[in-house]
Amino acid sequence: MRADFHAHTTYSDGSFLDWMVGAAADAGLSGIGLADHCNVSDRPAMRAHKLRYGYNLDLTYERRREAIETARGETDVEIYDAVEVDYHPTDQADIADFLAEAGFDYAIGSVHEVDGVNVHFPEPFRDRSGGERRAAVDGYFEDLAALVRSELFEIAAHPDIVERNEALRGIAGEDHYRRLAAAFADSRTVPEINAGRVTADYGRFHPCEAFLDVLAEYDVRVTVGTDAHAPQEVRDRVPLLREQLADRGLDPVSPFDV
Ligand SMILES: [Zn+2]
Ligand SMILES: [Zn+2]
């Protein structure tokens, strides 16, 4: 692992750009991709969410680009001007227009919305029946398959993110993994091994081992991202990602090679 392709700065919900780049150097990386959250949906609920949480990269990416250009002159670490875009099938045309206009080095696509709810919140799912939760997980994988088929992104983020939600954990299975692996096999989009919850309560990588087995069966290549929001997370997660890659015999692909 020579680069981390998924990290956040203060241009969304992460830490200072210089700190994240410094942490990449500390972790022995030669590159770091700054992939701040970005939502370009004009759906009222999504607009309200981004205003409330302050996700403004659609308005500030040129300013961040200027900062990246300055920072590039001060470090040996390669800094990639990337983005993590919220994906929903109804927003596809808006996302395509934005990505064409902004011209990032590469784009990560993420499904963060499950049945109209942010996947990080377990409460809305707790009172639902088993059938309703199953339908929510099915819907998540359908949207993720649509993301992969859209060909808008070099990387699909945290491909089984529903597992980090304790109310949705353990529902996904081989059928879901096979459908996704077939979609990845036909697409330029590669899944990432994402360390976003590996040192937290969930304690595993996305995708889980069973999903990785299926991806390997379909010869799907993978890339890597710490999904770090703080410099210490880069330093802590890179060695764990290296261990996981070695255990699985994986050589991660760069988004510049897809
Ligand atoms: Zn994400
Ligand atoms: Zn992220």
Side-chain angles (χ1 to χ4, degrees), residues 6 37 84 110 112 157-158 161 227:
H6 186 161
H37 291 287
E84 179 179 6
S110 292
H112 290 122
H158 37 59
I161 196 172
D227 208 348

Side-chain angles (χ1 to χ4, degrees), residues 59-238:
L59 301 176
T60 60
Y61 70 89
E62 285 167 311
R63 190 174 284 194
R64 195 190 65 164
R65 187 162 293 164
E66 207 176 314
I68 288 173
E69 272 158 23
T70 307
R72 278 172 176 158
E74 299 166 357
T75 175
D76 293 332
V77 176
E78 285 178 52
I79 308 171
Y80 313 124
D81 179 6
V83 64
E84 179 179 6
V85 181
D86 292 326
Y87 175 86
H88 188 277
T90 55
D91 302 329
Q92 201 159 299
D94 291 328
I95 295 168
D97 289 348
F98 173 71
L99 289 177
E101 179 195 314
F104 293 102
D105 290 342
Y106 61 86
I108 301 177
S110 292
V111 177
H112 290 122
E113 193 183 334
V114 179
D115 213 6
V117 176
N118 188 294
V119 68
H120 293 96
F121 304 139
E123 288 72 23
F125 297 104
R126 279 196 217 285
D127 294 335
R128 298 199 191 177
S129 68
E132 286 168 333
R133 292 186 206 200
R134 166 99 199 167
V137 169
D138 288 346
Y140 166 76
F141 279 95
E142 272 164 37
D143 288 352
L144 182 59
L147 179 159
V148 174
R149 284 193 302 265
S150 78
E151 302 285 357
L152 286 172
F153 308 100
E154 281 79 4
I155 299 173
H158 37 59
D160 62 354
I161 196 172
V162 285
E163 291 299 312
R164 71 169 61 168
N165 185 313
E166 58 191 56
L168 299 174
R169 191 171 299 159
I171 295 170
E174 182 145 347
D175 287 357
H176 300 102
Y177 305 152
R178 286 197 180 279
R179 251 176 285 148
L180 259 296
F184 278 121
D186 283 342
S187 173
R188 73 176 182 127
T189 304
V190 295
E192 61 167 5
I193 298 188
N194 177 296
R197 287 294 181 278
V198 79
T199 53
D201 50 345
Y202 177 49
R204 295 179 193 174
F205 295 98
H206 302 289
C208 66
E209 300 299 322
F211 197 171
L212 272 178
D213 290 341
V214 174
L215 291 169
E217 200 183 305
Y218 284 74
D219 290 324
V220 173
R221 299 176 300 171
V222 298
T223 188
V224 273
T226 60
D227 208 348
H229 291 68
Q232 192 57 40
E233 292 172 352
V234 178
R235 292 189 281 261
D236 290 344
R237 294 173 187 176
V238 166

